[in-house]
Amino acid sequence: MNIHEYQAKAVLKEFGVPVSAGKAVFSVEEAEAAAKELGGPLWVVKAQIHAGGRGKGKFKEPEAGDKGGVRLARSVEEVKTFVGQMLGKTLVTVQTGPAGKQVNRIYIEDGSDIEREFYLSALVDRATSRVAFVVSTEGGMDIEEVAHKSPEKILTFAVDPATGVMPHHGRTVAKALGLTGDLAKQAESLVTKLYAAFVAKDMAMLEINPLIVTKDGQLRCLDAKVSFDSNALYRHPDIVALRDVTEEDEKEIEASKHDLAYIALDGTIGCMVNGAGLAMATMDIIKLYGAEPANFLDVGGGASREKVTAAFKIITADPNVKGILVNIFGGIMKCDVIAEGVIAAVKEVGLKVPLVVRLEGTNVELGKKILNESGLNVISADDLDDAAQKIVKAVKGA
Ligand code: ADP
Ligand code: MG
């Protein structure tokens, strides 16, 4: 689960991480009050969307101006103008995709006098099974490009969970960033606090870009992007309360209501599969035969007819879906239940694209019989290979 920059900063502040004072607003009136309260003389008006690259982003509407989603303001009037221009408009950044994201809330923050900008992030590193830090002097820029063109400018190290962050980690960061004296001490303290926040809140990723040194020698987090491990959210009601569903994919929200493991993707073939491993294999084989999956969907081991119906509706609601592949191995799940779910869903929402069904396992004969007698235009397949070829052919032929 992702949260907004201002929320991330509030979470980090609980752990003593240095962030600027600021206030999130939803209207020009609130922005005026916030700007007056902060006092100036420099404010930063920051569009809050679940995507980075806002500073270099562009609004779709010309009346929103061409200064991107992060703007320096030198008066309360200017703060009001920028907020008025941005609210309700669609910001397109390298991370939003071409559709962009509507700006519904804005963060008004104290402006900082920046001396230097660094990059610092922490994430769960699968290779070492540890929390790893990534540090670079090349902050504020596109870190992917730095990684590509000058990887020697990026330092990575993992933290042993048995010891947690040690003083030498802090010194490593300070050295990598070229910090000495009091700033080196601040860096050591910052790494300790960020690690504490990361572990305590079950974060999956924490990215500070830029981490800055101010002209008066203070280390401060000027941007914060945080995502949390969804599997641990049950023990963090305070984090769940920060969820902004307007930022999430509608289909994924609907899927989570039915307890379906669903991830929207960019392809054209909708997949309904049981078991994460089989779902991955199904996506792989679709790619092998030259098409792209429109989603990952695991209906789970013991899905009910209602769940299958909900899953089918979510798939067909995606306008990019040009064909559907149902691939079920009936273990705990029975093939006839799947067949009934598919039929119920098609009766409700119709079927405008080719549908290939591959069933195997418990009650497979009954499942096939139900589908065959339903009068639906279902293409049946014998195995995974056959199913993938049939759906790709049906979609490409259409
Ligand atoms: P994004 O990464 O989405 O573009 P950032 O929060 O990193 O958004 O802001 C982009 C740039 O704007 C930063 O690299 C920094 O130079 C400047 N900036 C952001 N917040 C402030 C602030 N409070 N004071 C001064 N400059 C800021
Ligand atoms: Mg940033």
Side-chain angles (χ1 to χ4, degrees):
M1 189 190 98
N2 298 318
I3 57 174
H4 289 290
E5 171 200 358
Y6 77 94
Q7 297 168 325
K9 285 177 170 171
V11 171
L12 294 178
K13 204 176 165 189
E14 287 173 36
F15 292 83
V17 173
V19 293
S20 304
K23 233 178 145 121
V25 301
F26 295 81
S27 68
V28 175
E29 296 72 45
E30 283 176 19
E32 180 174 10
K36 284 182 177 156
E37 199 182 310
L38 289 168
L42 190 62
W43 297 263
V44 184
V45 179
K46 310 182 80 173
Q48 298 296 292
I49 53 172
H50 285 186
R54 295 161 302 162
K56 286 187 183 159
K58 286 205 170 13
F59 279 95
K60 280 200 163 167
E61 302 82 355
E63 64 270 26
D66 57 0
K67 295 199 188 79
V70 178
R71 301 181 189 176
L72 284 179
R74 297 185 188 279
S75 67
V76 174
E77 275 314 304
E78 232 178 2
V79 170
K80 285 168 64 184
T81 306
F82 292 156
V83 170
Q85 286 176 339
M86 289 194 227
L87 267 181
K89 307 299 192 328
T90 307
L91 183 58
V92 181
T93 81
V94 285
Q95 291 186 7
T96 60
K101 285 203 159 173
Q102 195 178 43
V103 177
N104 298 317
R105 41 185 112 177
I106 292 182
Y107 192 42
I108 314 292
E109 190 176 60
D110 264 342
S112 293
D113 278 331
I114 304 173
E115 171 110 5
R116 273 178 288 167
E117 296 196 335
F118 304 131
Y119 177 93
L120 195 156
S121 66
L123 64 145
V124 179
D125 177 25
R126 283 166 205 277
T128 56
S129 309
R130 293 176 174 187
V131 174
F133 279 86
V134 180
V135 191
S136 175
T137 50
E138 309 302 297
M141 288 172 29
D142 196 356
I143 194 70
E144 288 85 358
E145 196 166 315
V146 178
H148 192 64
K149 289 191 178 152
S150 36
E152 73 284 354
K153 288 187 174 154
I154 295 178
L155 174 88
T156 306
F157 63 89
V159 177
D160 185 337
T163 61
V165 163
M166 306 278 281
H168 72 84
H169 291 122
R171 288 197 293 274
T172 302
V173 170
K175 187 160 176 257
L177 299 180
L179 301 173
T180 53
D182 184 55
L183 275 168
K185 287 212 182 78
Q186 290 184 44
E188 289 179 32
S189 147
L190 177 69
V191 172
T192 309
K193 287 165 180 166
L194 291 177
Y195 183 79
F198 193 99
V199 173
K201 297 294 181 187
D202 289 309
M203 294 179 185
M205 194 211 60
L206 160 62
E207 186 181 58
I208 311 293
N209 187 25
L211 166 69
I212 62 153
V213 177
T214 61
K215 291 234 161 80
D216 54 0
Q218 299 299 310
L219 213 51
R220 190 177 296 157
C221 300
L222 224 54
D223 190 9
K225 206 169 165 217
V226 173
S227 68
F228 298 89
D229 180 350
S230 310
N231 293 313
L233 283 174
Y234 72 94
R235 54 185 186 187
H236 301 292
D238 56 327
I239 300 298
V240 175
L242 302 177
R243 187 170 174 192
D244 179 359
V245 290
T246 65
E247 290 285 333
E248 296 175 20
D249 186 289
E250 269 173 47
K251 299 187 291 298
E252 290 181 12
I253 296 168
E254 186 60 26
S256 73
K257 280 186 203 155
H258 299 280
D259 210 16
L260 295 161
Y262 172 92
I263 309 286
L265 300 168
D266 303 332
T268 55
I269 297 180
C271 307
M272 182 156 85
V273 190
N274 66 331
L278 190 57
M280 297 298 278
T282 305
M283 288 161 54
D284 278 348
I285 203 160
I286 286 172
K287 281 172 162 289
L288 183 70
Y289 285 109
E292 295 288 326
N295 64 277
F296 167 95
L297 172 59
D298 171 12
V299 291
S304 61
R305 189 179 126 166
E306 286 69 33
K307 220 166 149 177
V308 171
T309 310
F312 202 84
K313 278 199 215 163
I314 290 165
I315 292 174
T316 50
D318 181 349
N320 293 328
V321 168
K322 302 287 181 265
I324 300 171
L325 173 55
V326 174
N327 183 21
I328 299 290
F329 180 78
I332 303 168
M333 174 83 106
K334 294 186 181 70
C335 292
D336 54 316
V337 172
I338 292 288
E340 280 173 2
V342 169
I343 292 166
V346 170
K347 279 196 181 132
E348 231 175 288
V349 296
L351 182 64
K352 297 176 196 74
V353 295
L355 169 65
V356 171
V357 178
R358 180 252 177 165
L359 295 174
E360 196 55 77
T362 311
N363 293 358
V364 61
E365 293 310 326
L366 183 56
K368 283 184 175 166
K369 184 164 173 272
I370 291 170
L371 282 174
N372 288 338
E373 289 172 2
S374 69
L376 291 183
N377 185 16
V378 177
I379 307 165
S380 73
D382 299 326
D383 55 37
L384 184 46
D385 209 55
D386 182 41
Q389 290 187 49
K390 278 179 174 158
I391 191 63
V392 172
K393 187 161 170 258
V395 168
K396 296 242 158 142

